[in-house]
Amino acid sequence: MTTCEPRLHVAAPDELSGRVIAITGAGDGIGRAVALACAAHGAEVVLLGRKVRKLEAVYDEIVAGGGPEPIIAPLDLERATAREYDAIADAIRARFGRLDGLLHNAGLLGDLSPIEHYDVPLWTRVLHVNVTAAFALTQVLLPLLRAAPDASILFTSSSVGRRGRAYWGAYAVSKFALEGLTQVLADEMSGVTHVRVNAINPGATRTAMRRAAYPAEVAESVPLPGTITAAYVCLLGPGARGMTGQTVDAQAPRLPRPA
Ligand code: NAP
């Protein structure tokens, strides 16, 4: 049964010990911070990303911190072929025989522009990376997730995936789609597998994507990725067993600034 409350969670040192957790977009931003946190709490982490150099840097940081040795799995979600997806599944199967957690964190912002003028090829790229690739990776890894005694799939949403906002275009639509995918898959898994499926909204977090979306924002006013990782550990770990089909916020809502 669920024992953790993601926003208030304080992770135990060995909370993820013995778990194998795959994370997309693990080379930077929130994905990097969650990968480091998962390893710090004992998980064997599969670092998925498109830039090997960035993944190697995260690998080195994990090993230097005394965490379990991760594996690096290069995957460009915009261009990956079916064979590359299969190769990731084969590598995880050969090394671990199962997968306990899958965090779909990678994302593409696209343009902030009106629907009327949104560039169609860019729209397709954003929907592909954010939604179709997450679907395809989930599909190919499901047998390994089913093989785990308590597996957690976590999609990454956003506040603009719950309430539409002008100019957020393909990004907002992709996040609505991920909320839907979470519910559909959670319902399919419910009662017939130990696989739980949830979505997390990290909230405003100081990353390259945030800077691109809010260039005029005072960066120091935005929480760093390392401050929100406990919610991810909670949802990927044993404390959230039994919780499925939910969308969770990693942070408390920010108070409006005084006038
Ligand atoms: P970020 O620093 O820009 O990280 C995005 C990650 O996605 C990077 O690791 C990037 O890899 C990866 N990525 C992009 N395109 C890819 C592709 N084709 N193949 C593989 N990986 C790809 O942004 P972030 O803020 O950490 O975002 C993480 C997640 O949180 C996203 O899903 C985002 O929508 C969500 N989110 C963020 C905020 C926020 O305020 N930061 C708020 C709500 C939701 P590279 O390093 O190689 O570019």
Side-chain angles (χ1 to χ4, degrees):
M1 283 309 290
T2 309
T3 54
C4 74
E5 207 295 285
R7 285 198 307 210
L8 306 174
H9 192 61
V10 179
D14 61 347
E15 188 155 325
L16 300 178
S17 173
R19 285 182 185 248
V20 181
I21 295 175
I23 299 172
T24 68
D28 213 336
I30 295 166
R32 171 183 168 277
V34 175
L36 294 174
C38 287
H41 290 282
E44 294 178 280
V45 182
V46 180
L47 304 168
L48 291 149
R50 62 179 163 173
K51 292 177 187 149
V52 175
R53 272 238 207 102
K54 285 186 176 185
L55 299 178
E56 285 173 345
V58 179
Y59 175 103
D60 288 345
E61 228 177 312
I62 289 173
V63 171
E69 190 181 358
I71 66 171
I72 290 178
L75 188 70
D76 181 339
L77 297 172
E78 195 173 334
R79 297 184 177 81
T81 60
R83 190 175 293 183
E84 287 171 80
Y85 282 101
D86 286 341
I88 299 284
D90 289 345
I92 296 173
R93 187 177 298 108
R95 172 105 172 238
F96 305 108
R98 66 173 206 291
L99 184 62
D100 304 284
L102 172 59
L103 169 61
H104 293 287
N105 162 81
L108 206 55
L109 178 64
D111 258 356
L112 297 182
S113 81
I115 294 290
E116 196 173 357
H117 303 301
Y118 207 97
D119 180 68
V120 174
L122 180 60
W123 177 282
T124 307
R125 283 178 59 208
V126 172
L127 268 290
H128 185 83
V129 170
N130 294 4
V131 185
T132 308
F135 147 72
L137 187 61
T138 302
Q139 189 181 58
V140 81
L141 293 178
L142 259 179
L144 289 163
L145 290 153
R146 284 175 185 271
D150 165 42
S152 172
I153 301 175
L154 199 50
F155 292 100
T156 304
S157 188
S158 163
S159 57
V160 296
R162 297 184 197 155
R163 185 170 177 82
R165 202 182 303 160
Y167 316 129
W168 283 77
Y171 179 82
V173 170
S174 75
K175 296 301 186 182
F176 269 92
L178 289 175
E179 297 260 350
L181 178 54
T182 299
Q183 291 177 24
V184 171
L185 186 59
D187 201 33
E188 289 179 10
M189 296 291 116
S190 177
V192 292
T193 73
H194 297 294
V195 181
R196 52 197 153 90
V197 189
N198 295 289
I200 187 165
N201 167 25
T205 311
R206 204 187 309 170
T207 65
M209 184 185 289
R210 179 78 192 180
R211 269 196 306 283
Y214 296 91
E217 186 173 62
V218 178
E220 289 69 30
S221 69
V222 182
L224 286 164
T227 63
I228 60 165
T229 55
Y232 286 80
V233 171
C234 167
L235 288 162
L236 291 164
R241 188 174 288 155
M243 175 176 170
T244 197
Q246 305 293 311
T247 298
V248 168
D249 289 317
Q251 301 174 32
R254 291 206 291 174
L255 294 172
R257 285 204 183 150

